[in-house]
Amino acid sequence: MTFKTYGFIGLGLIGGSLAKALKRTQPDCCIMAYTRTATTTQQALREGVIDRICQSPEDPAYSGCDIIFLCAPVSSNIRALHSLRDLVPDSCILTDVGSVKTEIHEAAHDMNLDGRFIGGHPMTGSEKSGFENAVPHLFENSYYIITPSQNSSPDRVDAYRELASAIGAIPLILDYRTHDYATAAVSHLPHLIAASLVNTVHKLDTGDELMKLIAAGGFKDITRIASSSPEMWEQICLANHDNISSIMDTFIELLQTSREEMNRGDGKAIYQMFEESRDYRNSFSSTPLGTIKKTHRVFCDIVDESGAIATIATLLAVKGINIKNIGIVHNREFEEGVLQIEFSESETAQKAAKLLEQHRYQVWIR
């Protein structure tokens, strides 16, 4: 199968990034889209990301698509399936990009769409949302999980797999039930934990917000995903509540065990817990797969004087080294560097560190 005409319902971070990725890899393709907010499709049209604006999920133009991506919340995607079921030809693949698969697969089955619907879930993203944050390289080196329906033909699955590879992703075929159990552990529960941890600090913080003031890198790293879309995560939690709840039981049990070990002063057990988690975590691939891309940080000691940061930024810019973020660390977790510089790639961070060392700066890479 060769895809030439693409349809989108929703152009948020994932949908917008996917449309941009398709335009980058296949400039001559035709992309049409509908979004709840008209200004989004208008912006996408101006930027050349899409070629046609659709007025609703029932727009007759969708009948000419080879594949349609449903990129809205789960309940909206299911309603869109109803709209498209009798509108598009049997040759058109219907898919989604949602983080929960069981509910939409069951809906597709009830609508006799088993052979035409193939679930999809790009395991990537950002704490930011919306089309304005969409980028064409979002899927590079990230898993793109494909969940065929019971009657999905091998040809259609292979075509979808090739499409995922073409935008730089790593396709992975899974049963949709297996997908939902695995993502409950590695994606959905972490978001609940991050939100709960932030809310804990918010609830217990002092009147002058001391906890917020001194919240350091470790806290910010593990709670970054708490900035994600509340609307999206409300629907994910409700749609996958059985799996999340089951895995949450184990997490709560481990927390309770840790509390008991601390209260009875069992240092050996506490050490073992951290040792086991460290060893297992260190066995993970360093490739930045998942919801939040890995950031590579360089810390640098500088003199507290006017122009110190500008000097370093200029030094790096002259050598063509792109900085993702830069700022003063007011609450150091270690007795090292006061300036934090963030890079998207490890190689870039290494190059920057070497350059700064050549100019007699003291540098640490984290």
Side-chain angles (χ1 to χ4, degrees):
M1 295 180 64
T2 301
F3 302 119
K4 296 181 179 179
T5 305
Y6 301 90
F8 282 81
I9 294 179
L11 284 175
L13 175 71
I14 299 298
S17 295
L18 183 53
K20 290 183 177 182
L22 291 171
K23 270 298 182 184
R24 184 178 68 173
T25 59
Q26 195 179 345
D28 294 334
C29 73
C30 176
I31 298 179
M32 60 187 72
Y34 163 78
T35 60
R36 184 174 55 184
T37 305
T39 54
T40 301
T41 44
Q42 291 166 1
Q43 179 183 351
L45 185 65
R46 286 196 306 271
E47 294 180 6
V49 177
I50 66 173
D51 303 284
R52 177 170 182 169
I53 295 176
C54 293
Q55 301 304 315
S56 71
E58 299 89 7
D59 195 307
Y62 282 122
S63 63
C65 291
D66 299 313
I67 182 169
I68 298 176
F69 294 91
L70 309 178
C71 306
V74 179
S75 59
S76 299
N77 287 341
I78 292 175
R79 289 196 296 271
L81 274 183
H82 278 284
S83 302
L84 296 167
R85 177 181 56 180
D86 298 323
L87 177 64
V88 299
D90 290 345
S91 59
C92 176
I93 293 177
L94 299 171
T95 186
D96 73 326
V97 297
S99 183
V100 182
K101 302 263 73 83
T102 299
E103 187 173 353
I104 194 166
H105 267 277
E106 290 178 347
H109 175 76
D110 292 341
M111 288 183 263
N112 295 316
L113 289 172
D114 269 347
R116 297 160 61 188
F117 179 79
I118 301 175
H121 179 205
M123 292 288 291
T124 186
S126 167
E127 70 274 18
K128 299 178 181 179
S129 59
F131 180 79
E132 61 274 15
N133 294 302
V135 290
H137 58 269
L138 187 67
F139 309 95
E140 292 179 0
N141 299 316
S142 294
Y143 285 119
Y144 196 122
I145 299 178
I146 298 171
T147 58
S149 296
Q150 182 177 355
N151 296 321
S152 298
S153 71
D155 287 346
R156 292 191 177 201
V157 175
D158 286 343
Y160 201 160
R161 189 204 308 263
E162 291 174 6
L163 177 63
S165 296
I167 61 173
I170 305 169
L172 180 65
I173 311 298
L174 288 179
D175 173 80
Y176 64 85
R177 299 178 188 87
T178 302
H179 165 276
D180 283 1
Y181 183 72
T183 54
V186 302
S187 176
H188 305 164
L189 180 59
H191 276 80
L192 282 168
I193 293 170
S196 298
L197 184 54
V198 170
N199 289 336
T200 297
V201 170
H202 188 196
K203 183 176 182 179
L204 299 178
D205 207 352
T206 59
D208 57 357
E209 296 188 323
L210 175 63
M211 293 183 185
K212 179 180 179 181
L213 176 67
I214 66 172
F219 180 85
K220 291 178 180 178
D221 283 347
I222 64 176
T223 60
R224 193 181 307 275
I225 54 177
S227 298
S228 299
S229 165
E231 178 186 13
M232 178 180 72
W233 283 99
E234 173 196 5
Q235 295 217 12
I236 288 172
C237 289
L238 294 178
N240 203 26
H241 64 89
D242 285 342
N243 284 315
I244 299 173
S245 180
S246 174
I247 291 170
M248 190 180 288
D249 287 340
T250 300
F251 178 74
I252 293 172
E253 179 185 338
L254 290 173
L255 274 183
Q256 290 174 335
T257 299
S258 298
R259 180 172 60 183
E260 293 168 1
E261 292 167 350
M262 288 189 298
N263 288 341
R264 68 171 181 261
D266 191 345
K268 182 178 180 180
I270 295 171
Y271 178 91
Q272 184 178 1
M273 176 195 67
F274 281 110
E275 182 181 44
E276 289 178 356
S277 65
R278 178 202 63 191
D279 292 346
Y280 183 60
R281 177 62 180 83
N282 288 345
S283 72
F284 289 11
S285 170
S286 60
T287 304
L289 304 175
T291 305
I292 306 301
K293 295 296 186 183
K294 183 176 180 180
T295 296
H296 302 271
R297 288 176 287 187
V298 171
F299 292 85
C300 176
D301 268 338
I302 60 172
V303 178
D304 185 10
E305 62 184 18
S306 177
I309 296 178
T311 299
I312 290 179
T314 302
L315 179 64
L316 297 175
V318 167
K319 295 297 183 179
I321 299 175
N322 293 323
I323 298 173
K324 181 178 181 181
N325 199 6
I326 187 170
I328 295 292
V329 179
H330 295 291
N331 43 355
R332 284 181 275 178
E333 295 176 329
F334 46 87
E335 294 302 318
E336 303 171 0
V338 69
L339 183 67
Q340 175 178 295
I341 315 170
E342 297 182 359
F343 304 90
S344 298
E345 305 293 336
S346 174
E347 295 80 4
T348 308
Q350 296 285 345
K351 183 179 178 181
K354 184 177 180 180
L355 177 64
L356 292 173
E357 287 173 344
Q358 290 173 352
H359 285 76
R360 301 186 182 282
Y361 287 99
Q362 193 169 10
V363 174
W364 297 264
I365 298 179
R366 284 295 178 97

